[in-house]
Amino acid sequence: MSDTHSESVGFVRKTFIEPAPPPAREAGAVKWLRENLFSGVVNSALTILSIIFIVWIAVSVYPWFANAAYGTSSLAECREVLEGVNAACFSVLQERGNQMLFGIAYPSEQYWRPLLAFVLLFVCAVPVLFSQYVPRQTLIGTALYPFFAYWLIWGGTLWLSIAILGLLIAAYFVPKVIAGLPDGARSGLGLVVGGATGLLLAYWLAVGGLNLWGLASGFAEGGGTGGMIGAVLFYAMAAFVAVTFIPMGIFTAYAVWQSAERGLLLSTVTTIAFLFVALNFVAGPLAGVLNGIVPIELEAVASRDLGGFMLNMILGTVCVSLSIPLGILLALGRQSSLPFIKGVCVVFIEFIRGVPLITLLFVANVVLAYFFPPESNIDLVLRVIIMITMFAAAYIAEVIRGGLAALPRGQYEAADSLGLDYGQATRLIILPQALKISIPGIVNVAVGLFKDTTLVSVISMFDLVGAIRGPILGSADWAGIYWEAFGFAALLFFVVCYGISQYSQWLERELATDHR
Amino acid sequence: MKKSVILGALTVAGMAAGAASAATLDDVQARGTLNCGVTTGVPGFAEPDADGVWQGFDVAVCRAVAAAVLGDPTAVEFVPTTGKTRFTALASGEIDMLARNTTWTFSRDVDLKFEFTGVNYYDGQGFMVPADLGVTSAADLDGATVCIQTGTTTELNLADFFRSNNISYEPVPIETGSEAVQLFLAGSCDVYTTDRSALAAQRANFPTPSDYIVLPEVVSKEPLGPLVRHGDNDWGDIVRWTLNALITAEELGVTSENIEELAAGTDNPEVNRLLGSEGTLGEMLGLDGQWAMRAIMAEGNYGEIFDNNIGEATNIGLARGLNAQWTDGGLLYSPPFR
Amino acid sequence: MSTISEERLDSGHGGAPSGFKLGMLLNDTRYRSYTFQFIALVLLILSISYLVSNLIANLEEAGLNISWAFLAEPAGYDINQRPIEYDSQSTHARASIVGAINTLIVAFLACVTATILGVVAGVLRLSNNWIVARLMSVYVEAFRNVPVLIWILIIFLAMSNAFPQPRAFRGEAPDAEMWLGLFAFTNRGVYAPSFINGAGSTIFWIVCVLSIVGVFAYRRYAKKLLYDTGRLLPMGWPSLAILIVPPVLAFFLLGSPVSLETPELRGFNFQGGVHLRLSLIALWFALAIYTGAFIAENVRAGIMAISKGQTEAAGALGLRPGRIMNLVILPQALRVIIPPLISQYLNITKNSSLAIAVGYMDITGTLGGITLNQTGRAIEAILLLMLFYLLVSLAISAIMNVYNNSVKLKER
């Protein structure tokens, strides 16, 4: 064949032609435009519409920003300065920005404290957020952070935080001390602690039984169908308690005493007792004494003086961090094979998830106080923290349940076959994997919860939105302003929430250990 | 049972406020501050200024009580409350007294178990309309859209008024006063209704107050006053007589300026009893002899408080009207200090 | 965790064996689970007793009681949006029902709108069109990351300031005019025309409903025919004809039984027609736009979960991109999308309680708002409120689960 060619063709090319550049409409910006913006009639129409939309937004918004007024002390002055031009009045941020960030009542000369706490939050969050890149020892700093931040924000004496921290550390060593005791001493301790626990429990049950009995008679007197149901229910509970309170006491005493050999139950009970006594009766006086020797004090700030974006941050971080352990317990409870515990967890989770947060906040605001002992008076901020934590825990429990369900059954079986008990299997095998799967979901819940902290404005707390709606828009100077103030609020939330969700996506990629 | 583990731990965490047992006076003195419920912001009556310091007519009552009880008019924690939260805040002991332009009504006094300790402002519900609407009487408001601040007696008065006049209206309930004002100014409603004092106070903030008029009709009686819980009569007495002391002081011509001078002793035995240079009225209250003097010195007597916060010299510009002393033809009539 | 369950199964064959010792309650896995549950039960009873006795002690101290009698008393306040008959002399119970219906109205409207918005935004976000995809990303991120309460307030205040007052429609040369002469967009809401039912209107409406049913029946029949015999019936024009012809015929045969009532400016406000109040619109739009952003993400995730091969296969069969989306991708993606969609519907229902911020009289505004304020019955009112939301949530979950099961992949 080649011979024929070489004879019949006058010219044979010996070298390759240099590749020619693609035609102009198939390269560079033109190609990109053609493929991405004008690939068809519909697409072109969409593109043109979008461009018109963007230009329209830009043209209508730009002058509002560009002509903005600064440095006036009221909206009326702003209007004078602007002379009828429709533009922003950012003076409100200059005048009241601090109130939006820190609330209206936080003493202004103390602003450095929440600011420092805020900065430290990031520093101390690094070991948790980027645990792969930071030595584990730095987690100690994170663990210390809550105590320090509490002192910074609420003030008072640092020694209280230190005392509580110290006692908590001491409590950690209680089980070790018990384990180290000689057998005889441990058995004696078991007898004492067991006896006390049994007595206490029996006493509580007796008092509770009497309460129930009283409630039942109250219902019975009230009459009516509801009264009858209530009476039967509470009489039944009272009867149950009446039958069980002595055996329960004896059994508890026996169980604690028996466990002295292995030490688990005994040390748990002792640790709880230690913590109760330490926190109630030791921490306060100890802090007082220490502060008397070396005073380290900051001006105390009442909880209700907290406000602004700071309050949203506090509620968000505190409630999320408290709700994760609670959520894990609830999720484990819901997956448990013990029907009663499972039932309680299911009812709790489904109830909380079925009602809006706002009704729970109403509960915190107007109902919860009725359920505490008459002489106690729990701070509104604390009541709100309790309710938001419960709310978040229910959602986090569902996320973690998803993670638990996603684990292959083999993992559970492998743990069992290694002879691990429930606690060990959960702690060492199940949870680490389940939590890893759940992280994106938990972050989603956290972001949602952080946004939902604005709802506290509905129950007259001056968080960021509450401060704007209440004192700022209600004041003589700034009544009638809203874009600037709410826009600022929206921007703050956007920055934080967008940041968290970006982090979450990064973490998801980092944690992806499956092979692709 | 009373002291659970959780509560114990919480107390240590330092977040639980003081206990609210029967003796409110002891609690307040032990705590060192008075927890006083106020609104979330009505100009002239209770409003935090740019520094976050609460100012206003209702606030002054709180300060007077704090001065009488604690000797320090600034020892007050102001707790902002909404219409919904105010009563539970008081009932649950979160606040010691409520000075939040709250109308004294039968059901609140009897059914909700509160004790009104007097009246610091005689008010009535009124209507505000833009002047160019051409409305001169509330009877012309058939079919109008009415902005109401919810959580008060206003909704009920309004419903009764329109019902008894057999005219229709469109209610627009709004949670906060500031939003109601915004809607009204934007023309989302024709009429804004609330207590006439608040109408005047809020109108003072409008860009052009003269464009809006308050209609002559007063559709309700609104005696506003501080209140405390039922059941602690000693504490109720202190709040009641602090308010009376402010009113009596004006009647007797005792002002924050001449009070030092008068305290040394005067010819008027009632002034002497009031200021503690004669008799033991303070001791009967469980306070000292100078309680009333401190209360008056906090922000002045009733007349001074009125003039400084909401009087005609301020931009709120309320006339004394019903709130003048009985000697001037008003309703303020304090029982004698005897 | 299975240790316990399996051990318990073992013990299921008989009562307590001989040689039972007290210690076995704690150390023997056969009994330990019962012990734990028993202790949990006792603790639960104890805490209930503790809370309830505190409640009773507190109520006694405040001199209050729990009573539902307030529900039968006259409410005394007016409600602007009344889907059922109501005036200020009606009872608190009726006011609560009005509020409950209002909650359902706004929740329904927002759910429908949010779904449409979410599907459109989710699909467009995956579009090849760079600028449209970017715009949709901006929409999703901007709305997802800002609290819904802020959106509600912004939309509410912006609309009340941006739209004209009803007064602006008055006079010789008004500042504002009605759209098409039918709709008035004011800062008190939108006034739209409504139907006036004359004689014979019932028959007309029945015909309308029947023709809608007819369209579905026809399409079903056509589909069946296609699958059974392969005959393709035309879809478009017969559907349209079935939908339009009978009602039009009925309309003229019955002598125009239904006419339009257009809103008219009389006195202070537009009268007649339907009034969509500002509070409803603000809440509806804010919830729809906010939740739409979440639904868009769900839709996107659902579509991405369908393997690229499906698109390519459909393309190889010669389907156009629109049809690929409608016939191949979306039906499969729906299975992934629906479970999160259910929880978004639940969220809308629960978030509708933020109505309180704009004065929309939903159940939080009536029962949990004015009724609570006027009667002071906080515990009772909030209990009822929670019960209502709980029931609605459970009902939505139940309905959507039934649907979810019906579209579930039927595996052999």
Side-chain angles (χ1 to χ4, degrees), chain C residues 4 50 58 69 129 159 163 172 211 236 353 358 401:
Chain C
I4 294 163
Y50 175 69
N58 279 312
N129 190 320
M159 282 180 64
F163 282 114
E172 289 298 305
S211 52
S353 57
V358 288
N401 277 334

Side-chain angles (χ1 to χ4, degrees), chain A residues 99 150 279-280 365 377 469 476, chain B residues 8 12-13 50 85 93 178-179 205:
Chain A
Q99 293 191 353
Y150 170 77
L279 294 181
N280 269 315
N365 198 14
N377 187 2
R469 289 179 76 194
Chain B
V12 170
T85 63
S178 61
E179 274 155 23
N205 290 343

Side-chain angles (χ1 to χ4, degrees), chain B:
Chain B
M1 288 305 291
K2 293 290 183 198
K3 202 154 187 90
S4 74
V5 181
I6 305 170
L7 288 181
L10 293 178
T11 322
V12 170
M15 292 168 82
S21 58
T24 315
L25 175 61
D26 296 341
D27 291 341
V28 172
Q29 285 177 334
R31 198 190 305 134
T33 55
L34 172 75
N35 290 337
C36 192
V38 290
T39 64
T40 52
V42 174
F45 284 82
E47 185 191 29
D49 63 14
D51 302 324
V53 180
W54 287 83
Q55 306 287 355
F57 185 72
D58 289 332
V59 167
V61 176
C62 301
R63 294 206 189 282
V65 173
V69 175
L70 299 167
D72 178 7
T74 61
V76 191
E77 273 293 337
F78 290 98
V79 180
T81 57
T82 63
K84 194 201 308 291
T85 63
R86 56 182 159 178
F87 294 128
T88 17
L90 184 58
S92 69
E94 191 182 339
I95 52 178
D96 304 311
M97 60 178 285
L98 181 67
R100 184 199 186 271
N101 51 16
T102 299
T103 308
W104 188 350
T105 67
F106 180 91
S107 65
R108 285 173 180 175
D109 198 332
V110 178
D111 189 33
L112 296 185
K113 313 286 180 197
F114 293 119
E115 184 176 349
F116 284 82
T117 60
V119 176
N120 69 340
Y121 194 92
Y122 288 96
D123 211 336
Q125 187 175 341
F127 299 101
M128 179 157 57
V129 294
D132 59 357
L133 200 61
V135 172
T136 53
S137 154
D140 302 340
L141 290 177
D142 191 13
T145 303
V146 184
C147 277
I148 326 157
Q149 198 188 334
T150 67
T152 60
T153 47
T154 39
E155 294 121 335
L156 307 188
N157 297 329
L158 191 69
D160 288 349
F161 174 80
F162 279 90
R163 191 180 151 76
S164 58
N165 285 297
N166 205 13
I167 52 180
S168 68
Y169 72 110
E170 157 98 10
V172 179
I174 296 295
E175 184 91 338
T176 66
S178 61
E179 274 155 23
V181 167
Q182 289 224 342
L183 287 195
F184 176 62
L185 286 179
S188 277
C189 36
D190 304 301
V191 190
Y192 176 41
T193 180
T194 185
D195 294 345
R196 284 166 69 92
S197 61
L199 285 182
Q202 284 164 340
R203 186 175 66 162
N205 290 343
F206 289 179
T208 47
S210 54
D211 287 354
Y212 299 89
I213 53 169
V214 175
L215 296 178
E217 281 87 353
V218 182
V219 299
S220 68
K221 287 189 291 189
E222 307 281 345
L224 310 178
L227 56 156
V228 296
R229 278 181 296 279
H230 254 197
D232 187 356
N233 295 346
D234 296 341
W235 176 247
D237 288 343
I238 291 173
V239 178
R240 172 177 299 112
W241 286 96
T242 306
L243 179 61
N244 285 336
L246 298 178
I247 297 172
T248 304
E250 188 192 14
E251 185 185 343
L252 299 177
V254 180
T255 67
S256 55
E257 271 144 34
N258 64 12
I259 192 163
E260 303 268 1
E261 190 184 316
L262 295 174
T266 62
D267 307 338
N268 186 336
E270 186 159 17
V271 173
N272 292 347
R273 283 195 295 273
L274 179 67
L275 300 182
S277 51
E278 194 181 315
T280 56
L281 295 183
E283 283 77 7
M284 292 179 201
L285 277 177
L287 303 171
D288 61 1
Q290 275 69 51
W291 66 280
M293 192 175 141
R294 288 194 304 270
I296 297 162
M297 282 171 73
E299 298 226 349
N301 65 29
Y302 182 89
E304 290 173 87
I305 292 172
F306 193 102
D307 292 341
N308 293 338
N309 289 302
I310 52 177
E312 281 172 325
T314 65
N315 59 356
I316 292 171
L318 289 169
R320 284 296 286 267
L322 290 176
N323 295 295
Q325 291 286 338
W326 64 284
T327 46
D328 302 333
L331 291 176
L332 286 187
Y333 187 102
S334 160
F337 276 70
R338 182 173 290 281

Side-chain angles (χ1 to χ4, degrees), chain C residues 255-333:
Chain C
S256 317
V258 175
S259 53
L260 275 187
E261 184 189 38
T262 43
E264 215 181 311
L265 189 58
R266 277 201 303 269
F268 294 100
N269 281 317
F270 282 90
Q271 308 285 337
V274 185
H275 182 193
L276 299 173
R277 284 169 184 78
L278 183 64
S279 52
L280 169 69
I281 296 178
L283 190 63
W284 167 15
F285 277 36
L287 287 178
I289 298 175
Y290 177 77
T291 317
F294 286 88
I295 294 179
E297 277 302 88
N298 296 337
V299 170
R300 188 172 75 117
I303 294 174
M304 304 254 281
I306 307 303
S307 78
K308 189 97 182 139
Q310 297 281 334
T311 318
E312 286 162 357
L317 287 176
L319 292 180
R320 279 178 277 115
R323 294 210 136 194
I324 297 180
M325 192 49 94
N326 281 334
L327 297 177
V328 179
I329 307 298
L330 275 183
Q332 297 186 70

